[in-house]
Amino acid sequence: MWLLKLSGRVNNGVKTIPIPTFDIFLDDNQICSVAGWGKTEAHNLSHDLRVTNVSIINPKVCSRQWDYTLPPNVICAGGYGTNKGFCQGDSGGPLVCNGIAVGVVSFNRSRNCNYPDVPNIYTDLSKYRHWLIRAVKEKRCNHAKF
């Protein structure tokens, strides 16, 4: 995971989204939002930031649909049993639940944006909160690969 660190405070009405300060526990079917500038259909990138609501999917259901044991550092939401989710170009965008950025857009199956039969996968930010908080406080640039 990479973190872009700004050299100064944001201004001009730009708002920040807090990250989790503790492990998060999301409810099945909880409604959250995902945002990005990615493709809106199979071919077109969006010129406007788009936001859509997605439902949290139970991790066991998610693993069963993927036919793969997913790691514990992911969140599943949207893309399965719905026409809502993310697409290519949205990577790195936030999954926001109750005003907190709980996840980062990670991947879907075979770059399929027609909302595949498997859930969309997000990286769970609460699993990296210590690294994120430390990285923001440090004066020098630092990176970690996960």
Side-chain angles (χ1 to χ4, degrees):
M1 178 183 335
W2 294 91
L3 177 66
L4 175 65
K5 186 174 179 179
L6 303 176
S7 61
R9 291 193 169 275
V10 294
N11 55 23
N12 296 329
V14 175
K15 296 180 182 178
T16 59
I17 304 171
I19 61 171
T21 55
F22 48 86
D23 282 348
I24 56 165
F25 299 96
L26 302 170
D27 294 326
D28 296 352
N29 300 312
Q30 180 177 341
I31 303 298
C32 299
S33 298
V34 60
W37 283 273
K39 293 181 179 181
T40 56
E41 296 171 0
H43 308 294
N44 301 322
L45 289 175
S46 176
H47 295 287
D48 300 309
L49 178 63
R50 297 180 54 97
V51 180
T52 192
N53 290 336
V54 292
S55 297
I56 298 298
I57 298 170
N58 180 287
K60 290 179 183 176
V61 171
C62 188
S63 285
R64 201 167 40 248
Q65 293 303 313
W66 273 91
D67 195 26
Y68 179 77
T69 301
L70 294 166
N73 64 340
V74 301
I75 298 170
C76 301
Y80 165 68
T82 181
N83 63 353
K84 306 279 185 185
F86 61 73
C87 196
Q88 274 50 58
D90 289 328
S91 296
L95 176 66
V96 179
C97 302
N98 299 323
I100 298 172
V102 298
V104 175
V105 170
S106 188
F107 64 92
N108 60 13
R109 186 183 305 215
S110 303
R111 300 177 182 259
N112 182 357
C113 297
N114 294 327
Y115 304 102
D117 58 345
V118 294
N120 291 164
I121 306 294
Y122 301 79
T123 300
D124 182 345
L125 285 176
S126 74
K127 305 297 190 242
Y128 300 98
R129 70 184 180 281
H130 297 296
W131 176 80
L132 288 165
I133 292 166
R134 189 173 54 249
V136 168
K137 288 181 180 178
E138 287 183 7
K139 298 294 181 198
R140 63 184 179 83
C141 293
N142 190 2
H143 74 277
K145 293 182 181 176
F146 296 100

